[in-house]
């Protein structure tokens, strides 16, 4: 059940009368609370609670606000709930009507909040913060969806103009603005994967499954022999050696593969004898883990037999099998393990254009990003600043047909005119400096927020944390621009 709040302003919505405690209106969290139109996205959030009975769920402001606080200070879930209980400004930000010394929610609710906050809601909030959409755009989209009972036949008419009165029937404006594109990897908080460690972990998990089946009496009273002590001693002896040669690594992989093959064979025997009972003994988590172990064994066996280290959809974590190795070619980390995210930078604000757990060629996302820019602002960008990988023939032809300047050297032989050549080189140098702005944004998001180490354990919550990092980064920039505006305004008044 979700109880919608009225838009009527109460005395507690005034920061100066927060439960009788005067709050500083210049505080960061008081200003941030006014930047986010909470009530606009509450209808979309309420769709997850179709039932009209039961205890009312926490509001969108509580769910989203607590996640922003967590990202802003890089707190854990427990620390976030504890600091909200100690700070009246944080309680005002999450929508409490008065100061309370008790924690407003249990720390475990932070995971539920991340499950409820989908990527679509966070993307719309981010678009409003960065100015890509207006509040009227979001409201009209919700109204159209409600009127059509889930079939949004007229969404293109609203979204194509971006709330700026640019319908599809009106002529487009001239190209203007700069769109910066790049991609980065968001490392997942997993142990650095090696073939031997993955096989050892899979063997231990298989042994636990055998123990559970034996305890339930499905092994006919005789526990299968697993040689777990010998396997453990062999792996420990290998892992403690300082210098691991290719021969020792291959020998350890062969040993662990044999032990794991024996364990899976014992599990398959139980499955054949008790086809209707074994699934009832194992939990859902254990059944999923068994499927991952089988896939890992098959991949490692094929790589061992073919003497290769590459395979499609390679598993690098048993607990998070959707994580893939992303080859980035960086000097400090040539391979990273996490999601690959293609982003755009418009006037210093980041936006996620494409997110995938599989490696992709970011050059293929340029045309979709440019069309999204035109759909939001009513015109194409005047310039697109991107890396070399974006400069393929299809993108160059696309930009030329739409009058868009794509940075980098032009196709063909360089001109022989030294003056023109000097101007082109200088333009490339200046545009490369402008393109570095998105790299700086990546650095801030990874150093100051959780984009550099995603600690969520589920696929959905990991994507939510990535979106939250970008949203919090843009909120801080929007707040700095607001403070700079007031500073310049009052300074001009003093001069006058």
């Amino acid at each position: 059940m979700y109880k919608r709040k009225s838009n009527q302003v109460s005395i507690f919505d005034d920061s100066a009368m927060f439960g009788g405690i005067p709050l500083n209106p210049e505080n960061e969290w008081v200003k941030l609370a006014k930047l986010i139109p909470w009530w606009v996205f509450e209808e979309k959030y309420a769709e997850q609670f179709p039932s009209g009975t039961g205890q009312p769920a926490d509001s969108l402001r509580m769910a989203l606000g607590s996640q922003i606080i967590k990202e802003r200070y890089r707190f854990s879930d427990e620390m976030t709930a504890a600091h909200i209980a100690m700070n009246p400004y944080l309680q005002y930000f999450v929508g409490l009507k008065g100061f309370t010394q008790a924690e407003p929610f249990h720390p475990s609710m932070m995971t539920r909040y991340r499950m409820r906050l989908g990527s679509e809601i966070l993307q719309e909030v981010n678009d409003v913060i960065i100015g890509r959409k207006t509040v009227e755009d979001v409201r009209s989209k919700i109204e159209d969806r409600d009127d059509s009972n889930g079939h949004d036949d007229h969404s293109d008419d609203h979204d194509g103009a971006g709330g700026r009165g640019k319908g599809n029937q009106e002529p487009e404006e001239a190209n203007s603005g700069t769109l910066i594109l790049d991609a980065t990897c968001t490392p997942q908080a997993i142990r650095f994967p090696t073939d031997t460690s993955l096989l050892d972990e899979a063997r231990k998990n298989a042994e636990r499954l055998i123990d559970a089946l034996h305890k339930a009496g499905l092994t006919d009273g005789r526990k299968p022999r697993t040689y777990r002590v010998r396997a453990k001693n062999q792996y420990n002896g290998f892992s403690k050696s300082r210098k691991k040669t290719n021969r020792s690594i291959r020998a350890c992989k062969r040993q662990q593969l044999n032990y794991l093959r024996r364990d899976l064979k014992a599990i398959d025997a139980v499955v054949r004898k008790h086809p209707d009972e074994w699934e009832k003994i194992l939990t859902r988590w254990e059944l999923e883990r068994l499927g991952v172990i089988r896939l890992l064994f098959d991949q490692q066996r094929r790589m061992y037999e073919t003497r290769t280290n590459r395979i499609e959809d390679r598993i690098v974590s048993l607990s998070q099998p959707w994580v893939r190795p992303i080859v980035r070619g960086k000097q400090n980390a040539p391979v990273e393990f996490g999601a690959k995210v293609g982003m755009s930078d418009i006037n210093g604000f980041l936006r996620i254009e494409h997110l995938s757990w599989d490696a992709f060629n970011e050059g293929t996302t340029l045309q979709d990003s440019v069309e999204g820019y035109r759909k939001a602002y009513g015109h194409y960008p005047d310039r697109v600043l991107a890396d070399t990988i974006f400069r393929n023939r299809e993108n160059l032809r696309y930009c030329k047909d739409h009058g868009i300047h794509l940075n980098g050297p032009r196709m063909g032989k360089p001109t022989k005119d030294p003056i023109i050549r000097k101007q082109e080189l200088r333009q490339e140098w200046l545009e490369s400096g402008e393109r570095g702005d998105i790299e700086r944004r990546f650095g801030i998001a990874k150093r100051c927020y959780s984009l550099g180490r995603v600690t969520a354990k589920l696929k959905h919550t990991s994507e939510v944390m990535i979106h939250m990092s970008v949203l919090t980064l843009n909120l801080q920039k929007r707040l700095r621009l607001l403070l700079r505006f007031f500073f310049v305004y009052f300074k001009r008044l003093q001069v006058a």
Side-chain angles (χ1 to χ4, degrees), residues 137-178:
D137 293 337
V138 181
R139 281 180 172 175
S140 61
K141 187 176 180 180
I142 295 175
E143 292 174 358
D144 291 345
R145 185 176 63 250
D146 295 339
D147 294 340
S148 58
N149 295 325
H151 300 284
D152 193 2
D153 298 330
H154 306 286
S155 60
D156 293 339
D157 297 336
H158 294 284
D159 294 341
R164 292 162 178 80
K166 305 293 181 183
N168 293 335
Q169 302 298 330
E170 297 184 5
E172 289 188 354
E173 298 180 357
N175 295 358
S176 63
T178 300

Side-chain angles (χ1 to χ4, degrees), residues 219-463:
T219 58
D220 299 333
R222 183 177 180 181
K223 189 175 183 179
R225 183 173 293 180
T226 58
Y227 296 98
R228 63 183 67 191
V229 177
R230 183 186 302 178
K232 176 182 177 182
N233 293 336
Q234 288 178 349
Y235 176 75
N236 288 342
F238 165 79
S239 62
K240 292 179 181 178
S241 61
R242 293 185 178 180
K243 295 184 179 180
K244 299 178 177 61
T245 62
N246 293 334
R247 184 176 180 179
S248 63
I249 294 175
R250 186 168 176 81
C252 183
K253 289 175 62 176
R254 182 183 67 253
Q255 294 168 355
Q256 298 301 318
L257 280 171
N258 290 334
Y259 292 128
L260 184 57
R261 180 189 293 110
R262 188 183 186 91
D263 295 340
L264 292 177
K265 186 177 180 180
I267 295 176
D268 292 336
V270 175
V271 172
R272 288 192 300 268
K273 291 183 179 180
H274 307 277
D276 300 330
E277 300 178 12
W278 74 278
E279 290 186 349
K280 301 177 182 179
I281 302 302
L282 302 180
T283 62
R284 181 179 60 85
W285 176 87
E286 291 174 334
L287 292 174
E288 293 176 356
R289 181 59 58 89
L290 178 59
V292 176
I293 292 174
R294 293 183 186 276
L295 182 58
L296 174 68
F297 172 76
D298 183 64
Q299 291 182 352
Q300 293 294 331
R301 179 181 54 82
R302 282 188 289 169
M303 288 192 294
Y304 177 82
E305 294 175 351
T306 57
R307 294 179 177 270
T308 182
N309 292 324
R310 299 187 62 181
I311 196 169
E312 293 294 332
D313 297 330
R314 183 174 182 177
I315 294 178
V316 295
S317 174
L318 289 179
S319 60
Q320 303 179 45
W322 54 84
V323 178
R324 296 287 179 265
I326 307 296
V327 180
R328 298 294 296 162
K330 305 296 182 180
Q331 185 175 4
N332 58 342
V335 180
E336 294 177 314
F337 305 94
K340 189 174 182 180
V341 186
M343 297 193 196
S344 63
D345 184 339
I346 304 175
N347 299 325
F349 293 98
L350 290 182
R351 185 180 189 272
I352 296 178
E353 300 289 344
H354 185 67
L355 190 152
S356 174
W357 293 95
D358 296 319
F360 63 90
N361 185 354
E362 53 262 38
T364 59
T365 64
L366 182 140
Q367 298 182 23
D368 293 336
S369 300
V370 174
E371 290 297 333
Y373 183 96
R374 183 198 64 82
K375 191 175 181 180
Y377 299 101
H379 55 79
Y380 287 102
D382 183 44
R383 298 186 304 164
V384 174
L385 306 182
D387 204 353
T388 308
I389 195 172
F390 290 86
R391 292 181 52 81
N392 53 49
R393 293 186 179 275
E394 291 76 11
N395 291 339
L396 289 172
R397 187 182 303 109
Y398 172 83
C399 292
K400 183 179 179 180
D401 294 340
H402 295 87
I404 303 172
H405 169 71
L406 182 60
N407 68 306
R410 60 181 181 179
M411 299 292 289
K413 295 182 179 180
T415 180
K416 296 182 179 179
D417 191 335
I419 298 178
I420 298 179
R421 179 60 178 167
K422 185 177 181 179
Q423 293 176 352
E424 291 179 350
L425 292 176
R426 178 171 177 78
Q427 184 180 8
E428 293 177 16
W429 177 73
L430 292 175
E431 289 178 342
S432 65
E434 292 184 59
R435 189 180 63 83
D437 181 71
I438 193 171
E439 296 287 353
R440 290 189 287 271
R441 303 296 170 190
F442 289 165
I444 296 173
K446 290 187 176 183
R447 184 177 65 253
C448 302
Y449 303 100
S450 63
L451 202 66
R453 189 172 182 267
V454 181
T455 57
K457 303 299 182 182
L458 302 178
K459 183 178 181 180
H460 175 74
T461 54
S462 298
E463 295 175 358

